[in-house]
């Protein structure tokens, strides 16, 4: 019985945070109607294609992408990540779910903006080292809603 209570409590906490995140993103989009954001299925992740890119792109979980990105907290605008001249490569299965859903919306050379609810980023898990170099004293907080601009430099299958 204790396990059932724990699970229902966990689900209630998840659903409560989901409602909070979705309202914050909806309010942000309502205040910024020119963004023309599109919701990805029922995920709560929104994307704005800034530049579509070109070529054929087939994305799988093993696709390797080389990107440049800038990440901010949606609620404060605080910068927490910026790659500048360094262009990291990742396999799609290694990155946060919000990126896994959003990056395939563009092709090589494309730029996409992603608004990512916490459940598709790091959820209730704070990231104490992320963003410290940009002034986030304690790193990314738990349940952070993220705002990324991502440029896709290369795709390898």
């Amino acid at each position: 019985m204790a396990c059932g209570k724990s699970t229902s409590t966990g689900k209630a906490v998840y659903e409560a945070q989901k409602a909070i995140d979705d309202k914050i993103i909806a309010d942000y989009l309502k205040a910024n109607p020119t963004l023309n954001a599109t919701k990805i299925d029922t995920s709560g992740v929104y994307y704005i294609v800034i530049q579509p890119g070109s070529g054929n792109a087939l994305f799988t979980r093993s696709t390797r992408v080389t990107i440049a990105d800038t990440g901010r907290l949606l609620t404060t605008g605080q910068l927490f990540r910026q790659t500048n001249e360094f262009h990291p490569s990742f396999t799609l299965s290694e990155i946060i779910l919000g990126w896994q859903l959003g990056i395939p919306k563009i092709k090589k050379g494309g730029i996409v903006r992603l608004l990512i609810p916490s459940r598709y980023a790091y959820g209730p898990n704070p990231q104490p080292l992320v963003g410290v170099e940009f002034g986030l004293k304690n790193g990314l907080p738990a349940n952070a809603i993220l705002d990324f601009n991502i440029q896709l430099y290369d795709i390898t299958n």
Side-chain angles (χ1 to χ4, degrees):
M1 187 168 260
C3 288
K5 184 176 183 182
S6 174
T7 302
S8 65
T9 301
K11 183 174 169 88
V13 169
Y14 172 86
E15 290 297 328
Q17 187 61 50
K18 179 180 179 214
I20 291 167
D21 289 2
D22 290 350
K23 181 174 181 353
I24 289 169
I25 293 173
D27 289 349
Y28 180 83
L29 291 172
K30 186 175 181 182
N32 297 281
T34 59
L35 288 179
N36 243 354
T38 303
K39 188 175 182 181
I40 301 174
D41 301 320
T42 60
S43 68
V45 175
Y46 284 82
Y47 72 97
I48 302 107
V49 173
I50 297 167
Q51 184 175 309
S54 62
N56 294 325
L58 171 65
F59 292 90
T60 67
R61 290 184 44 77
S62 62
T63 298
R64 188 155 195 84
V65 295
T66 302
I67 57 102
D69 68 290
T70 300
R72 297 183 179 278
L73 292 172
L74 183 67
T75 52
T76 65
Q78 170 71 47
L79 181 71
F80 67 86
R81 179 179 163 83
Q82 190 168 42
T83 56
N84 294 325
E85 283 81 44
F86 173 65
H87 302 143
S89 292
F90 305 98
T91 301
L92 280 182
S93 63
E94 299 173 327
I95 56 181
I96 62 173
L97 289 172
W99 280 25
Q100 290 179 37
L101 293 172
I103 289 175
K105 298 301 181 186
I106 55 173
K107 297 177 181 169
K108 185 175 179 178
I111 302 171
V112 67
R113 182 173 178 192
L114 301 175
L115 306 179
I116 304 174
S118 64
R119 65 189 175 276
Y120 281 88
Y122 301 104
N125 307 304
Q127 302 297 305
L129 301 178
V130 175
V132 172
E133 68 272 27
F134 294 103
L136 277 179
K137 185 177 177 184
N138 298 313
L140 272 182
N143 299 310
I145 301 169
L146 309 180
D147 180 357
F148 280 101
N149 276 333
I150 300 171
Q151 182 168 4
L152 182 56
Y153 281 100
D154 199 13
I155 304 166
T156 308
N157 283 310

